[in-house]
Amino acid sequence: MSNNIAIYNFKGGVGKTTSALNIGYNWSRLFKVLLIDADPQCNLTNSLAPLKKATAPTLHDIFRQLLHDQRVEIKPFEIHPYLHLIPGDYRMSEVESHQQFVHEGYEIVRKLLLNLNKDYDLVLIDCPTHFGFYLKSILQNINSILIPNVADAFSITGAETLVNHLKSIENIKQINILGMFFNMYRNDRIQNRKVFEYTQELFGNILLDTTISTSIKLREATSQGLPISSYLPDHKISKQFSELSEELLTKLFEQKAFNPDEINAAIRKLSQIKD
């Protein structure tokens, strides 16, 4: 059985897709990894398989078959033998208007992952930012959530809002918070360092040690569908993503993920500081 991990933040522009691409590639050096592009914007798909995505059924195609109780043979797109992709589809933005999905969304996602789990060690889902029924159906079926963030003035308040959203999910205590990390981080900026230190004080080990710097080279690599480790192996961000991937695997396999009660304790601490 695979470990199903959602990369999610309701806030856009935090490097969610870039993180999915680079972590997925790094993990696939050791494990068989599946990337699922669940975001209707399809940025992950457009990066990895812009011209070839038609060769594999999209997530919408698969959902439609499952909704109609059709036998589904899922054949993800092969990026390389140990890294596969289920392409995204802009039509997923309309799935919440489908009455049958509203009633059966949880079961549809459960069937999808059940079909896939026997073939992969790790499933990484690039989630939509919109916190609706579609996203809730995904989060109810995964093992862990990884939260990318940026070290700006709104990141801590944003984390509080995010946890309040997560608390609204039924059976949320079954979901672990794998960790939170900062993308586009600049250690030479006092504000970034202050946000990191304050977040670490509030959330403790929930905040991962590794940060990812900002660079035009990372955007160039993503635009070509490559991890930074292939585009520029000696770049410092290549090393950072390698360290982040190893840190996450350690937490996964030592079962050091954090449940929402620990996040809520940090939020209560934050509220006391505000008062």
Side-chain angles (χ1 to χ4, degrees):
M1 292 293 288
S2 65
N3 200 317
N4 303 315
I5 303 151
I7 295 188
Y8 174 66
N9 195 328
F10 68 91
K11 182 179 179 181
V14 297
K16 180 171 58 68
T17 296
T18 300
S19 300
L21 187 155
N22 282 275
I23 294 169
Y25 261 100
N26 276 307
W27 283 352
S28 69
R29 294 173 180 174
L30 299 170
F31 303 98
K32 192 166 184 181
V33 177
L34 175 67
L35 299 173
I36 300 178
D37 189 355
D39 191 337
Q41 295 184 69
C42 305
N43 291 333
L44 184 61
T45 300
N46 290 330
S47 294
L48 289 172
L51 301 177
K52 301 178 182 178
K53 60 184 178 181
T55 64
T58 69
L59 188 59
H60 185 272
D61 296 331
I62 297 167
F63 269 43
R64 186 174 56 186
Q65 290 177 304
L66 290 170
L67 278 169
H68 292 90
D69 295 320
Q70 297 176 7
R71 180 174 295 180
V72 178
E73 185 179 0
I74 302 172
K75 294 182 178 180
F77 173 74
E78 182 177 304
I79 300 164
H80 67 67
Y82 288 91
L83 183 64
H84 294 173
L85 168 73
I86 292 183
D89 194 313
Y90 73 93
R91 291 174 295 176
M92 291 305 295
S93 62
E94 304 167 358
V95 73
E96 292 188 8
S97 64
H98 196 298
Q99 195 63 30
Q100 187 178 354
F101 183 83
V102 171
H103 291 295
E104 302 177 27
Y106 168 84
E107 186 63 20
I108 295 298
V109 177
R110 189 191 71 81
K111 288 180 181 178
L112 169 67
L113 294 176
L114 194 62
N115 268 279
L116 297 166
N117 283 173
K118 64 183 182 298
D119 297 322
Y120 298 94
D121 301 305
L122 296 159
V123 175
L124 196 55
I125 306 172
D126 186 8
C127 292
T129 54
H130 172 62
F131 199 91
F133 190 80
Y134 169 41
L135 176 66
K136 290 182 180 181
S137 298
I138 295 172
L139 296 183
Q140 286 176 315
N141 280 284
I142 52 92
N143 306 109
S144 305
I145 300 174
L146 176 61
I147 305 172
N149 212 339
V150 290
D152 61 23
F154 305 103
S155 63
I156 297 175
T157 304
E160 180 180 13
T161 305
L162 173 57
V163 171
N164 287 332
H165 280 313
L166 294 178
K167 284 163 61 178
S168 70
I169 300 176
E170 185 180 3
N171 297 325
I172 186 62
K173 289 189 177 181
Q174 296 179 1
I175 302 176
N176 287 321
I177 308 296
L178 184 57
M180 179 191 304
F181 68 97
F182 286 124
N183 271 318
M184 294 168 272
Y185 186 81
R186 290 189 56 171
N187 198 50
D188 60 336
R189 289 188 174 177
I190 295 175
Q191 177 66 18
N192 276 201
R193 297 200 304 272
K194 284 184 176 179
V195 170
F196 184 92
E197 292 167 4
Y198 190 47
T199 306
Q200 193 171 50
E201 179 184 347
L202 289 171
F203 293 96
N205 289 333
I206 293 167
L207 180 64
L208 301 175
D209 294 330
T210 310
T211 59
I212 306 299
S213 302
T214 182
S215 171
I216 186 64
K217 297 301 181 182
L218 182 59
R219 291 194 290 273
E220 288 176 2
T222 302
S223 69
Q224 295 188 34
L226 295 172
I228 189 68
S229 59
S230 296
Y231 188 68
L232 287 173
D234 296 326
H235 198 281
K236 67 176 181 178
I237 296 182
S238 176
K239 181 181 178 181
Q240 290 168 352
F241 266 116
S242 179
E243 291 172 350
L244 176 63
S245 301
E246 291 176 9
E247 185 176 4
L248 291 169
L249 286 176
T250 298
K251 287 185 178 294
L252 276 172
F253 294 115
E254 292 184 0
Q255 297 183 333
K256 288 186 177 179
F258 304 92
N259 66 51
D261 288 339
E262 293 172 275
I263 297 282
N264 292 334
I267 294 300
R268 287 194 295 272
K269 184 177 180 182
L270 174 62
S271 299
Q272 291 168 1
I273 292 173
K274 286 180 177 178
D275 294 341

